[in-house]
């Protein structure tokens, strides 16, 4: 049965495999295929930077050209992960600088990136092309200066949603005059004003620029000049509009936009004055993606704009759109696939806009391709959820946030178990679900029974007992990420499903009822898991074993306990002893 | 543990057969402190399987712990399974990213303070300077911050030698601040009602909300302002 198939041919064939799943499968066929595959794998995705070490990755895949690494758990976005928890990228950069001189792409999410790391990147990889820092932090605009100055072949610099210490806008001026390779620039998260003339010249000399997302500091009167220099743009993010409408600026903008025949995506719109919106009408017919989530504009003006976008596939908007606006959306935008409605005033007790469950029901009825939903609202009913589920069995992502924790069905005052149950029962391809409102263990029974393709589940202020957690861990076969806060889930369900945790990327539980003793037991018995107790009250040993821990983060790993823990994190170790950093 | 099965009998969920005390009908859990692998060959899991698992270790400790807590009140174990009061300020709830939090806050504050859709960029003129500048008042947190920025802005412009009106030297910000604090130059602003007011009287936030433009007036020009403004000016130097 021994084939003598030339390696080169196999390598050629493997080059057509882009998905990690396929490549992983191929590498399991036999030793020879494993060897061939590992030498030709060019892209590596590391979903948890602590699941594996840089050394292990480099040892197995010596010729990587692109890495994507994720760090902190998702709840870090909402300040639930304390500062200094970890996810430092420097060890990765340092190791890759030595072993991957031809690295071209680094994409990071929720990692701590220092200026030192950025400088090392800029000097170590001669053919460096793509830097994407998504929700990262720890660096300043000085780090960006290094990248601008040294990465001669840079194509993409995307800082989306990162928290950058903005020392000045000078970094942009560090791109050399002979630098022309830029394809994508997203600086929307930065505060400082960059030199406008430097920006203009950069845009002018980069003929392949397709994506330009400006920051707030670029005023509206400057936009036309940039658009005229880059009529080939496909994605454009404006700066702030904070100025009164002026006819000369307006007509200049209209002219500039009309020259952009390839624009598909628009974003920015901070402080937008409604009178400026018509300047974009000429590009609306081609627009597929619209991010109006910073536009504090009322529903009628939003509808005016949206009604001109029949090809809209993705809309991010504030709840100013209201039910009426969503109704209009559902009639004008039949191609809509993704809708995100953000709260304009999340902390006020009373609703400030007329946005209810009805808006979402209407969109679910009118938009047959809708598959991805993020919706903040103040009231919900089982009837509405059932309607949404029946209307849209093709939903893949459903994230609902009813702003008041444990809010019941506002019509019947019952829990929303039935509603969410309908969602998981009808939407058989559902991969991501976020729950809210009043929920008992029953909803978890429904989830465990039906949500077989569910990969990520977010739970807050829900459930009655360990049974809830047990249903999820024992029933959701595809579950990879589970994040829970403020639920009465404790030791029993966790320990009874310990093996399940090895099949998942991670589990986060905060303000629940998991005791320190149970964490210790879990850590002792599951050597392939890092069981991290995060507790800012001091060493868990100073409290009884039955005392619940503040936060628990469990993740599978082949790298063992990490060495960079801060003083408020303890890894429950195999020998039962407390291992401090 | 038995509490759970009783509760469920009450709720008639139909799980009488399960007798779920803790554990799972399929294996892969920790029983008596040991990891038990899945013994069911076909890996099928069903709620009808009854596995009577008892985590004795944890049980004993729970009982002990409960007694301890009843007797003593010294442990700060505040995170037990009590549903949080919905009205309390909860960290990280609703789950909104921090860069999305301030959108309406800024709008609110400007409308509350009478700005009502007013811009934060305001024109700044200085008597004798050849051109105006624009500043975004939201970039500053206090009057001192603003004076510092204005000083930097106008420091590049020199008037040359002194004239009879007094020294107009913009060479450095501290000089400008001296000028602003002194009686030669008076910082004034036009508020939303169209009145020219002296900068510095009202709290900073209120000023940001009501200021439409700034004018750094020569001392002599300021005589036209309300006498009270001039009094204030003199008292400050």
């Amino acid at each position: 049965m021994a084939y003598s198939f030339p390696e080169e041919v196999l390598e050629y064939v493997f080059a057509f495999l882009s998905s990690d799943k396929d490549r992983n499968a191929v590498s399991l066929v036999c030793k020879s295929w494993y060897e061939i595959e590992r030498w030709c794998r060019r892209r590596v995705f590391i979903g948890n930077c602590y699941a594996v070490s840089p050394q292990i990755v480099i040892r197995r895949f010596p010729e990587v050209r692109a890495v994507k690494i994720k760090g902190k758990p998702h709840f870090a976005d909402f300040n639930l992960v304390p500062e200094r928890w970890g996810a430092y990228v420097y060890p990765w950069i340092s190791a890759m600088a030595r072993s991957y001189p031809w690295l071209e792409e680094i994409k990071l999410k929720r990692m701590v990136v220092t200026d030192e790391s950025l400088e090392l990147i800029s000097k170590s990889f001669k053919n460096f092309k793509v830097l994407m820092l998504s929700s990262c932090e720890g660096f300043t605009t000085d780090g960006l200066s290094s990248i601008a100055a040294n990465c001669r072949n840079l194509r993409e610099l995307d800082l989306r949603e990162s928290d950058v210490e903005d020392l000045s806008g000078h970094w942009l001026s560090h791109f050399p005059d002979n630098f022309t390779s830029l394809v994508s620039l997203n600086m929307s998260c930065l505060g400082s004003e960059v030199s406008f003339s430097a920006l203009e010249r950069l845009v002018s000399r980069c003929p392949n620029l397709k994506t330009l997302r400006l920051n707030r500091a670029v005023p509206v009167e400057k936009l036309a000049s940039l658009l005229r220099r880059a009529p080939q743009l496909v994605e454009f993010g404006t700066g702030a509009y904070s100025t009164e409408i002026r006819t000369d600026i307006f007509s200049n903008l209209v002219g500039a936009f009309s020259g952009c025949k390839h624009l598909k995506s628009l974003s920015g719109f901070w402080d937008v004055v409604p009178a400026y919106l018509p300047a974009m009408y000429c590009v609306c017919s081609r627009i597929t993606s619209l991010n109006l989530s910073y536009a504090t504009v009322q529903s009628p003006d939003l509808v005016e704009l949206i009604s001109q976008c029949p090809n809209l596939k993705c809309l991010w908007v504030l709840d100013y759109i209201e039910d009426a606006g969503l109704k209009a959306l559902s009639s004008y935008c039949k191609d809509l696939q993704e809708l995100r409605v953000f709260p304009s005033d999340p902390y006020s007790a009373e609703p400030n806009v007329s946005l209810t469950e009805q808006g979402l029901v209407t969109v679910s009825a009118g938009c047959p391709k809708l598959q991805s939903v993020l919706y903040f609202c103040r009231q919900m009913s089982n009837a509405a959820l059932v309607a949404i589920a029946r209307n849209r069995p093709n939903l893949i992502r459903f994230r609902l946030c009813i702003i008041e924790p444990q809010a019941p069905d506002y019509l019947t005052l019952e829990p929303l178990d039935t509603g969410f149950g309908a969602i998981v029962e009808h939407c058989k391809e559902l991969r991501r679900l976020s729950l809210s409102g009043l929920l008992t263990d029953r909803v978890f029974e429904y989830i465990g029974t039906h949500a077989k393709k569910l990969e990520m589940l977010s739970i807050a202020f829900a459930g009655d007992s360990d049974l809830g957690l047990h249903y999820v861990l024992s029933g959701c076969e595809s579950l990879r990420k589970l994040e829970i806060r403020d639920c009465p889930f404790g030791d029993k369900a966790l320990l009874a499903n310990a093996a399940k945790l090895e099949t998942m990327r991670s589990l986060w539980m905060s303000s629940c009822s998991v005791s320190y003793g149970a964490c210790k037991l879990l850590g002792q018995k599951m050597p392939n898991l890092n069981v991290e107790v995060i507790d800012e009250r001091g060493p868990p040993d100073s409290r009884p074993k039955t005392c619940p821990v503040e936060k628990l983060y469990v993740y599978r790993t082949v790298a063992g306990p990490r060495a960079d823990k801060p003083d408020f994190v303890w890894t429950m170790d195999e020998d039962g002893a407390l291992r401090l950093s | 543990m038995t509490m759970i099965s009783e509760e469920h009998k009450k709720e008639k969920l139909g799980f009488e057969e399960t007798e779920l005390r803790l554990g799972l009908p399929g294996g892969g859990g920790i029983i008596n402190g040991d990891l038990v692998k899945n013994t069911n060959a076909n890996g099928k899991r069903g709620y009808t399987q009854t596995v009577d698992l008892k985590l004795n270790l944890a049980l004993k400790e729970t009982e002990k712990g409960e007694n301890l807590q009843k007797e003593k009140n010294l442990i700060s174990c505040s995170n037990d399974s009590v549903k949080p009061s919905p009205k309390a300020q909860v960290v990280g709830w609703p789950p909104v990213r921090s860069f999305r939090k301030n959108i309406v806050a800024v709008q609110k504050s400007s409308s509350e303070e009478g700005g009502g859709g007013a811009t934060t960029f305001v024109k700044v003129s200085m008597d004798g300077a050849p051109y105006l500048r624009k500043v975004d008042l939201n970039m500053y947190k206090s009057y001192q911050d603003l004076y510092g920025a204005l000083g930097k802005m106008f420091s590049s412009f020199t008037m040359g030698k002194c004239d009879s009106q007094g020294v107009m030297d913009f060479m450095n910000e501290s000089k400008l601040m001296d000028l602003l604090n002194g009686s030669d130059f008076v910082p004034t602003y036009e508020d939303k009602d169209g009145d020219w007011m002296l900068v510095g009287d009202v709290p900073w936030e209120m000023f940001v909300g009501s200021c439409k433009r700034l004018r750094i007036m020569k001392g002599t020009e300021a005589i036209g302002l309300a006498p009270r403004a001039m009094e204030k000016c003199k008292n400050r130097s």
Side-chain angles (χ1 to χ4, degrees), chain A residues 182 379 558:
Chain A
L182 200 63
Q379 67 185 42
V558 295

Side-chain angles (χ1 to χ4, degrees), chain A residues 41 111 178 197 234 315 324 379 411 426 458 499 510 549:
Chain A
R41 192 174 304 209
M111 294 202 76
N178 60 359
S197 60
V234 174
L315 176 66
Q379 67 185 42
L411 295 168
H426 290 271
S458 308
S510 56
V549 300

Side-chain angles (χ1 to χ4, degrees), chain A residues 484-528:
Chain A
I484 303 172
R485 62 162 298 174
D486 294 274
C487 295
F489 300 149
D491 302 347
K492 295 150 201 163
L494 191 63
L495 292 171
N497 291 283
K500 171 71 174 175
L501 299 178
E502 269 189 19
T503 69
M504 293 165 54
R505 181 186 295 172
S506 65
L507 165 69
W508 170 278
M509 292 178 75
S510 56
S511 306
C512 296
S513 309
V514 181
S515 73
Y516 172 52
C519 295
K520 281 184 76 164
L521 198 54
L522 193 61
Q524 275 171 33
K525 296 302 164 187
M526 307 294 296
N528 290 329

